[in-house]
């Protein structure tokens, strides 16, 4: 358990998970709003984390023997240990031999794609994700009624969930044959609710964006079946109304270059960049024929070089989603419209490496936040490992992809994403050095969300052993 000076250790209650039947999302949301912070949370006012090796999330090398002072949820001082006297009355954690990084940001999750079905355990996922180091997420389309409730609750630092920043989806009318849209429409008609809107050239774009913003969404997500001219109009209006613009790398029939030149802030799924080299992009998301573009399209070819340099010039962020797409390496031929999925996945790693080489900002997103039971660490740790082992990032660069770059993707970089004076105290303390082995991000001792400490050992004790903990169903994803 955590120990500190100048105070007595708090009493931490250990509770076993309820064995009650899974509740509806609406009931779960109400329950979460009424439930106090998870038993392992420790509220703080003035705290000094002393003698820690700091990796600040900027991509800089570790700084040993540092002190980080937190007051009322903010980082208020940062200095070499011993250089200054510790604040009077501060609770002091001696972290010799420990490592601190910013709280992780998963830049691509789906918390409420199907609130009544496979996502019904998402509150447990959120609790597990926070205790595994994820302090913020970018949700890439789902039931905004549920998301708004959870996002509002998660603003409280003591609430056992990452902060949730979510999107309102826009697509062509033909896209809404997708069954996932029915599940996420919260009883409304897909394409006719404010957070899931069918758009055409006749749509009142100003009102559509106004309605999307009124749901509490941070950005709009352009999904599919939208022609280039409409992509441009939607992006311009969303920016005019102060919203972020997020999209799949290929919006069918719009190519990646159409999204980039329209000013989309973040494009998702590096694997979908290969449609830039296809002679004719399908007009509809659901009518894609098997493609071999990745087999003949060198990532350093003229076509790809022009696209990636465009991304760099427009400051477009790449949400590569390596983890979710890497699962296709063992998929049968023809899966997701790919003749040879294994070759396509290798192409994805190569194009992400090329993007990094050209200076494009890469944000770490999983498209599948949690792997299984609540004791398992979130998939962002696997995303970081892939960035290092398959793409060539240095460990500190991978950490930046899941911290400062993730904050930029959401638009919260002024307040979050690095360990810096004046920023929110979203932190993670590790027992091993992630700068020498990225897998050491998994050695989580405790997580700090807005100055509130969540002790991972206490969390694990509260949910029981791996064999006893309630399992979670697979998460939905939107990769293809």
């Amino acid at each position: 358990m955590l120990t500190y000076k100048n105070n007595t250790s708090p009493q931490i209650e250990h509770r076993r998970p309820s064995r009650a039947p899974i509740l509806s999302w609406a009931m779960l949301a109400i329950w979460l709003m009424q439930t106090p912070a998870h038993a392992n949370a420790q509220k703080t006012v003035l705290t000094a984390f002393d003698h820690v090796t700091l990796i600040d999330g900027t991509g800089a090398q570790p700084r040993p023997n540092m002190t980080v002072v937190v007051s009322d949820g903010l980082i208020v001082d940062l200095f070499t240990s011993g250089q200054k006297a510790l604040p009077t009355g501060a609770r002091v954690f001696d972290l010799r031999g420990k490592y601190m990084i910013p709280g992780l940001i998963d830049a691509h999750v789906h918390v409420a794609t199907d609130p009544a079905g496979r996502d019904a355990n998402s509150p447990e996922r959120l609790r597990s994700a926070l205790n595994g180091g994820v302090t913020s997420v970018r949700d890439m389309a789902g039931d905004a009624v549920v998301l708004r409730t959870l996002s509002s609750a998660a603003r409280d630092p003591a609430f056992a969930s990452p902060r949730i920043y979510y999107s309102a989806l826009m697509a062509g009318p033909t896209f809404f044959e997708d069954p996932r849209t029915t599940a996420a429409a919260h009883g409304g008609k897909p394409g006719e609710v404010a957070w899931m809107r069918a758009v055409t050239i006749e749509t009142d774009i100003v009102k559509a964006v106004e309605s999307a913003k009124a749901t509490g969404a941070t950005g709009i997500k352009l999904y599919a079946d939208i022609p280039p001219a409409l992509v441009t109009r939607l992006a311009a209006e969303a920016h005019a109304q102060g919203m972020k613009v997020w999209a799949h790398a290929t919006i069918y029939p719009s190519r990646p270059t159409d999204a980039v030149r329209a000013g989309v802030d973040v494009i998702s799924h590096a694997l979908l960049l290969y449609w830039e080299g296809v002679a004719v992009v399908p007009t509809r998301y659901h009518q894609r024929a098997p493609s071999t573009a990745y087999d003949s399209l060198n990532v350093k070819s003229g076509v790809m070089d022009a696209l990636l340099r465009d991304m760099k010039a427009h400051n477009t962020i790449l949400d590569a989603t390596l983890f979710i797409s890497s699962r296709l390496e063992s998929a049968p031929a023809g899966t997701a419209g790919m003749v040879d999925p294994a070759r396509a996945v290798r192409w994805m790693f190569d194009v992400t490496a090329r993007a990094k080489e050209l200076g494009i900002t890469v944000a770490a997103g999983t498209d599948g936040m949690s792997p299984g039971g609540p004791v398992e660490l979130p998939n962002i740790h696997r995303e970081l490992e892939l960035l290092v082992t398959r793409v060539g990032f240095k460990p500190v660069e991978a950490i930046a992809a899941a911290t400062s770059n993730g904050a930029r993707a959401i638009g919260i970089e002024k307040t979050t994403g690095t360990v810096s004076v004046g920023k929110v105290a979203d932190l993670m303390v590790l027992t091993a050095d992630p700068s020498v082995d990225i897998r050491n991000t998994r050695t989580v001792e405790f997580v700090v969300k807005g100055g509130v400490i969540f002790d991972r050992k206490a969390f694990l004790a509260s949910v029981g052993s791996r064999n006893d903990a309630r399992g979670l169903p697979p998460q939905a994803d939107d990769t293809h």
Side-chain angles (χ1 to χ4, degrees):
M1 297 301 168
L2 301 178
T3 59
Y4 52 88
K5 303 174 185 176
N6 299 346
N7 208 334
T8 57
S9 297
Q11 297 297 310
I12 301 176
E13 178 188 2
H14 301 299
R15 297 183 295 184
R16 304 201 53 95
S18 169
R19 298 299 179 185
I22 295 173
L23 305 175
S24 70
W25 246 111
M27 292 175 66
L28 281 166
I30 293 171
W31 174 73
L32 281 168
M33 291 291 287
Q34 295 175 342
T35 301
H38 197 264
N40 65 316
Q42 304 173 20
K43 290 188 177 182
T44 66
V45 177
L46 181 62
T47 306
F49 300 104
D50 204 22
H51 298 292
V52 71
T53 296
L54 177 64
I55 299 170
D56 64 11
T58 65
Q61 290 301 306
R63 287 183 278 171
N65 200 35
M66 298 295 294
T67 297
V68 180
V69 180
V70 173
S71 179
D72 292 327
L74 297 177
I75 299 168
V76 296
D77 208 351
L78 180 64
F79 53 87
T80 301
S81 299
Q83 187 181 68
K84 298 181 183 179
L86 296 176
T88 302
R91 183 169 63 166
V92 180
F93 288 84
D94 189 331
L95 298 179
R96 296 170 203 268
K98 307 292 175 63
Y99 301 82
M100 176 180 285
I101 66 174
L104 300 177
I105 298 173
D106 191 332
H108 198 129
V109 305
H110 292 275
V111 172
T113 302
D114 184 0
R118 345 184 242 182
D119 289 348
N121 273 323
S122 282
E124 191 69 40
R125 291 189 195 279
L126 294 169
R127 195 174 284 123
S128 177
L130 176 65
N131 281 277
V134 179
T135 52
S136 293
V137 298
R138 184 178 69 127
D139 188 282
M140 293 301 287
D143 183 338
V145 177
V146 170
L147 288 167
R148 185 167 193 160
T149 298
L150 289 172
S151 176
S152 178
R155 291 176 195 149
D156 179 358
F159 187 77
S161 165
R163 295 180 183 83
I164 301 170
Y165 302 87
Y166 57 95
S167 58
L169 182 147
M170 295 186 180
T174 50
F175 171 73
F176 290 94
E177 64 192 46
D178 193 306
R180 294 172 297 176
T181 63
T182 300
H186 204 87
K189 184 176 180 180
E192 296 182 8
V193 293
W195 63 92
M196 198 162 290
R197 179 76 67 188
V199 291
T200 69
I201 57 172
E202 284 81 28
T203 298
D204 187 328
I205 300 301
V206 174
K207 288 185 177 179
V209 173
E210 285 176 348
S211 297
K213 187 174 183 178
T215 68
T218 297
I220 63 168
K221 177 180 180 177
L222 306 181
Y223 200 120
D225 301 11
I226 308 176
L230 188 52
V231 169
T232 300
R233 287 178 58 199
L234 288 165
E237 184 57 37
H239 284 148
Q241 294 193 35
M243 298 188 78
K244 285 289 186 179
V245 183
W246 304 323
H248 272 195
T250 301
I251 313 174
Y252 309 99
S254 298
R255 299 177 184 274
T257 47
D258 296 319
V260 171
R261 292 172 184 175
V264 170
D265 297 296
V266 186
I267 58 175
S268 295
H269 308 309
L271 187 57
L272 296 183
L273 291 171
Y274 73 72
W275 286 101
E276 185 67 24
V278 176
V280 179
V281 178
T283 58
R284 294 182 59 184
Y285 173 90
H286 293 101
Q287 292 182 344
R288 295 163 293 162
S291 172
T292 58
Y294 48 81
D295 207 17
S296 58
L297 185 61
N298 189 293
V299 298
K300 294 184 179 180
S301 66
V303 170
M304 291 308 301
D305 191 69
L307 166 62
L308 295 174
R309 291 185 186 281
D310 254 1
M311 290 177 64
K312 174 63 177 174
H314 286 84
N315 295 315
T316 311
I317 296 172
L318 175 62
D319 162 33
T321 65
L322 305 177
F323 160 73
I324 200 79
S325 298
S326 67
R327 301 189 307 179
L328 296 169
E329 275 191 295
S330 58
T335 300
M338 293 177 287
V339 173
D340 187 343
R343 290 180 69 88
V345 169
R346 291 195 293 273
W347 187 91
M348 172 192 70
F349 289 128
D350 289 344
V351 79
T352 305
R354 179 61 174 161
K356 175 186 179 296
E357 182 182 342
L358 293 177
I360 293 167
T361 298
V362 176
T366 62
D367 203 2
M369 185 173 63
S370 302
V375 300
E376 295 185 71
L377 287 164
N379 287 323
I380 193 70
H381 296 279
R382 300 172 72 184
E383 186 79 16
L384 295 182
E385 184 176 358
L386 289 171
L387 284 169
V388 172
T389 61
R390 301 293 297 269
V391 177
F393 277 55
K394 297 176 182 177
V396 291
E397 294 171 332
I399 291 168
T403 55
S404 56
N405 294 356
R408 283 185 57 195
I410 296 170
I412 55 174
E413 68 273 18
K414 291 183 179 179
T415 60
T416 310
T418 60
V419 184
S420 310
V421 172
K423 290 198 173 181
V424 173
D426 285 356
L427 312 164
M428 182 161 59
V429 171
L430 311 171
T431 60
D433 187 354
S435 72
V436 298
D437 186 343
I438 193 61
R439 291 171 295 184
N440 287 336
T441 61
R442 303 173 189 187
T443 63
V444 183
E445 179 155 316
F446 64 89
V447 178
V448 184
K449 176 191 171 189
V452 177
I453 298 173
F454 291 81
D455 181 353
R456 181 160 177 80
K457 288 181 180 178
F459 167 71
L460 294 177
S462 75
V463 298
S465 68
R466 179 182 297 271
N467 292 331
D468 186 53
R470 180 175 57 200
L472 302 178
Q475 284 184 279
D477 69 78
D478 74 336
T479 309
H480 306 291

